[in-house]
């Protein structure tokens, strides 16, 4: 067995392992139970797919696929930042609503701890 054949088989094995772990991350993203678990699962899936694209670029000898992996990495990063901002804003709004409900119910001003 030549060196190239060993590298080829190793890359195929790594892509298979990454494909299996992507499904575990998908399971975590769907099941949750918290929003943070879902976001981490989605982010991990994105990272693993980027690595899989890089491995396929090595296997095929196509440098254009590396550019696609870099673009996918930037988009994945931006998506996580945007989702974090959205969920943080939604959480803050929920806290404000709950605070106003407590103030209305008790009749006294609620202070932040």
């Amino acid at each position: 067995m030549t060196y190239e054949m060993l590298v080829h088989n190793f890359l195929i094995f790594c892509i298979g392992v990454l494909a299996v772990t992507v499904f575990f991350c998908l399971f975590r993203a769907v099941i949750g139970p918290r929003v943070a678990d879902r976001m981490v699962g989605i982010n991990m899936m994105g990272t693993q797919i980027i690595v899989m694209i890089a491995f396929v670029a090595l296997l095929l000898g196509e440098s254009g696929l590396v550019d696609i992996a870099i673009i996918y990495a930037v988009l994945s990063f931006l998506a996580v930042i945007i989702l974090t901002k959205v969920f943080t804003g939604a959480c803050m709004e929920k806290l404000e609503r709950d605070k106003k409900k407590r103030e209305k119910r008790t009749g006294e001003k609620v202070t932040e701890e």
Side-chain angles (χ1 to χ4, degrees), residues 38-50:
R38 291 184 173 108
M39 287 178 43
V40 168
I42 290 170
N43 192 22
M44 285 176 57
M45 282 185 350
T47 303
Q48 291 170 342
I49 290 171
I50 292 164

Side-chain angles (χ1 to χ4, degrees), residues 2-16:
T2 64
Y3 175 74
E4 290 84 17
M5 192 69 143
L6 285 173
V7 170
H8 183 311
N9 290 338
F10 180 72
L11 287 175
I12 295 291
F13 173 76
C14 289
I15 290 171

Side-chain angles (χ1 to χ4, degrees), residues 73-88:
V74 170
L75 290 176
S76 177
F77 173 74
L78 289 175
V80 168
I81 296 297
I82 290 170
L83 284 173
T84 303
K85 290 286 242 181
V86 167
F87 287 123
T88 302

Side-chain angles (χ1 to χ4, degrees), residues 4-112:
E4 290 84 17
M5 192 69 143
L6 285 173
V7 170
H8 183 311
N9 290 338
F10 180 72
L11 287 175
I12 295 291
F13 173 76
C14 289
I15 290 171
V17 169
L18 284 170
V20 170
T21 58
V22 165
F23 285 110
F24 288 133
C25 292
L26 179 64
F27 176 73
R28 175 53 53 201
V30 170
I31 297 302
R34 296 175 300 213
V35 174
D37 296 327
R38 291 184 173 108
M39 287 178 43
V40 168
I42 290 170
N43 192 22
M44 285 176 57
M45 282 185 350
T47 303
Q48 291 170 342
I49 290 171
I50 292 164
V51 173
M52 287 170 57
I53 293 171
F55 284 169
V56 169
L58 277 173
L59 280 173
L60 299 178
E62 292 289 330
S63 61
L65 289 175
V66 176
D67 296 335
I68 292 171
I70 292 171
I71 292 169
Y72 191 82
V74 170
L75 290 176
S76 177
F77 173 74
L78 289 175
V80 168
I81 296 297
I82 290 170
L83 284 173
T84 303
K85 290 286 242 181
V86 167
F87 287 123
T88 302
C91 182
M92 295 302 285
E93 285 179 11
K94 184 178 183 301
L95 288 174
E96 276 298 314
R97 281 194 310 264
D98 291 344
K99 180 181 170 184
K100 286 180 182 178
K101 284 180 185 177
R102 280 190 308 244
E103 286 176 358
K104 192 182 259 187
R105 189 173 11 130
T106 61
E108 57 188 49
K109 187 148 180 88
V110 176
T111 59
E112 296 294 322

